[in-house]
Each structure stands twice: as structure tokens, then as C-alpha cells.
Amino acid sequence: MMNDQNKKVAIVTGGGSGIGFAIAEKFANANIQTIIVGRDEKKLQSAKEKAGPNCFIMQCDLSNLTEIPVLIENVVAGFGRIDILVNNAGINMKKDFTEVTDADFQSILTTNLCSVFAISREVVKQMLIQGGGNIINISSMAAQYGLPKVIAYSATKTAIDGMTRAMATELSPKGIRVNAIAPGFIKTDMTAKALDSDPERKSKVFSRTPMGYMGEPADIGDAALFLASDAAKYITGIVLPVDGGNSIGF
Ligand code: NAI
């Protein structure tokens, strides 16, 4: 742990892989002390080694909601402040509508939505003491249009967009900007799982993406760094698609 008063402090959930790691890497390279939170200590450790000395790790399974207040207390104790929170951790499940059990639905809801609320609440308590901060939620194309076989995921990501707007209206007057990024189809483990076994879905993705190719995790990293910076100081409550045009593609 380190307490360098000259550097901003960020938390990136699910920062051990994929989009979260790319965001953490951009932040760390921009001299932001970046704490990546995830479940797998080994994965976090190797991510930290790649992201360099501004990267720190804290292990937590965010679906255990009761662990979240302690996690945030530990961050504040170690770093003194929290300037940026990126709610990136998420899980997906592809199943026919009628095959999804109540337990399946609840488990996606807990990780993708309830934990985002719980960690945001705890972080906002600290941001209010500091007089400001910055929250970025990671949404999805599943909140922009209807996608089959991802009912629980779609419900959570659509709720994230609503929560982003509600939080922005309540918290922006207090100096806390809240925005979301809606990634299009980005090359990560999650999309490999969802698309490699489903060539029809994959060709649909390409056919309705005007740029014609999938994005890189770093594309989302750049957008997050922008939204977290003063260059975006008059932007709050938006859902920014970073999608090669997928959301407006024919
Ligand atoms: P990923 O599976 O590579 O990364 C997700 C990360 O979240 C992993 O590091 C995982 O360990 C962590 N995580 C999951 N459950 C957790 C829990 N209970 N506690 C702590 N950490 C947990 O997936 P990817 O693609 O990088 O996804 C990141 C975010 O971007 C997710 O919210 C996803 O819904 C969203 N997204 C991704 C898209 C894509 O094309 N890859 C498209 C749209 C949205």
C-alpha cells in the first residue's frame, strides 16, 4: 500500500483481466494509483506485474455484498482517498429463456447489479467527505437493443444505465460525476465464450458493426481515462457507446 498525496486513487473492479485490466493499465500509466479488485489472487498478481508500480491489488468476491464495506474501509485506510471508481466486474450467461433458473438469474443480478450499487454507495460516502469524485459504470450493447439468450445479463445492464442517470442527478450537484461506457463487441474471454461457439451470432456482430471489426480492451481504457479526466468535466449521466458504430449499425 502507498499513500502518495500527489496522485489520484482509482478502484477498478474486475481489473485482473479483459476490459478491466486495460482500464487499469491506462490509469496506472497516467500516474493514477490504481487498485484492481478481483477474486483470483494469482490473476491479480500477474496483472499487477504487467501494469507496473502504480497498480495495487485487493482480493474480494464482490458477490459477497457484506464484504464490500470492509474492502472500501481498507482502501481508504491505505490510500487516504478515492477519486475514481470503475464498476467493471461482470459475468454473463447464455441460455435459452426457459432454461434460466431463479438461482441463475439471481447470481447474475448479484454480481452485475447489486454489487455495483453496494460498492458505489460505500465509495460515495468517502467521495462526499472529499467533496467530489468520478464513477464510471460498464454497461453493454445488451442495454441498447434486444439480444436473445442473455435475459439476466440484459436486465442488469439496462438497470446499470438507469442507475447511472439516477446517480448522476443526485450526486453531480455534490461534485461526483457518474457516467457509463457501453462497449460494443470487444476481444476478451467473455466474448470468446459467447461468440466462438456461435458462428451465426458472430457474423451478425460483424455485419452490423460499420467499422467491420471487434474492438480492443484498450479502446475502452482510453474512453474511461477520458471520462475520469478533467477533459470530461462537464459530462455526467451519459452512456457512451465505444462500439465501432455497432449501436447505430443497420
Ligand atoms: P472478463 O470475464 O475478461 O472480465 C470480467 C472480470 O470481472 C474478471 O476479471 C472477473 O474475474 C471479474 N469478476 C467477475 N465476477 C466477480 C466477482 N464476483 N468479484 C470480483 N470480480 C469479479 O470480461 P470482460 O469482457 O473484460 O468484461 C468486463 C465488463 O465489460 C463486464 O461488465 C462486461 O459485462 C462488460 N462488457 C464486455 C463486452 C465485451 O465485448 N467484452 C461488451 C459489453 C460489456
Side-chain angles (χ1 to χ4, degrees):
M1 303 245 175
M2 199 160 79
N3 187 2
D4 183 336
Q5 294 298 338
N6 299 316
K7 291 184 184 177
K8 283 187 176 172
V9 176
I11 297 173
V12 180
T13 67
S17 65
I19 289 173
F21 175 70
I23 295 170
E25 203 174 28
K26 292 277 177 188
F27 282 6
N29 287 338
N31 222 14
I32 298 168
Q33 290 188 301
T34 306
I35 301 138
I36 53 176
V37 175
R39 292 166 295 185
D40 181 344
E41 183 108 39
K42 254 197 187 153
K43 198 162 99 178
L44 292 172
Q45 195 60 45
S46 77
K48 175 188 159 52
E49 276 157 29
K50 277 189 246 158
N54 281 325
C55 185
F56 304 85
I57 61 176
M58 283 202 184
Q59 200 247 332
C60 181
D61 181 343
L62 296 164
S63 66
N64 295 330
L65 301 180
T66 52
E67 287 182 19
I68 290 177
V70 180
L71 169 77
I72 300 309
E73 272 168 33
N74 289 340
V75 173
V76 174
F79 294 82
R81 54 186 299 112
I82 303 167
D83 299 286
I84 302 159
L85 168 67
V86 182
N87 286 309
N88 163 82
I91 49 173
N92 199 355
M93 179 187 291
K94 218 169 120 204
K95 267 190 183 180
D96 285 339
F97 183 76
T98 52
E99 298 299 313
V100 178
T101 66
D102 291 337
D104 290 339
F105 195 87
Q106 188 59 54
S107 104
I108 306 280
L109 224 65
T110 302
T111 299
N112 291 9
L113 186 61
C114 303
S115 81
V116 172
F117 164 67
I119 195 168
S120 299
R121 181 192 58 214
E122 296 309 309
V123 167
V124 165
K125 288 178 190 168
Q126 174 61 27
M127 287 177 170
L128 289 174
I129 295 169
Q130 297 163 196
N134 215 300
I135 298 178
I136 298 167
N137 295 323
I138 303 299
S139 181
S140 167
M141 285 301 121
Q144 306 265 325
Y145 51 70
L147 268 167
K149 298 186 199 238
V150 286
I151 187 63
Y153 183 80
S154 301
T156 60
K157 293 301 185 177
T158 309
I160 286 291
D161 289 3
M163 208 153 75
T164 300
R165 288 186 281 268
M167 286 168 69
T169 53
E170 188 168 343
L171 300 172
S172 299
K174 296 168 177 157
I176 303 170
R177 292 191 293 110
V178 185
N179 291 292
I181 295 171
F185 289 85
I186 309 294
K187 283 185 225 155
T188 67
D189 293 348
M190 189 185 274
T191 42
K193 252 188 239 160
L195 298 178
D196 288 353
S197 57
D198 191 344
E200 203 183 315
R201 205 173 181 104
K202 198 168 187 174
S203 76
K204 190 141 188 191
V205 165
F206 286 112
S207 72
R208 65 165 295 168
T209 304
M211 285 188 171
Y213 57 88
M214 286 175 74
E216 299 292 336
D219 295 329
I220 310 303
D222 284 325
L225 187 58
F226 163 68
L227 285 175
S229 76
D230 281 350
K233 66 183 187 309
Y234 200 53
I235 299 178
T236 195
I238 66 157
V239 180
L240 176 67
V242 180
D243 67 344
N246 180 269
S247 55
I248 51 85
F250 173 57

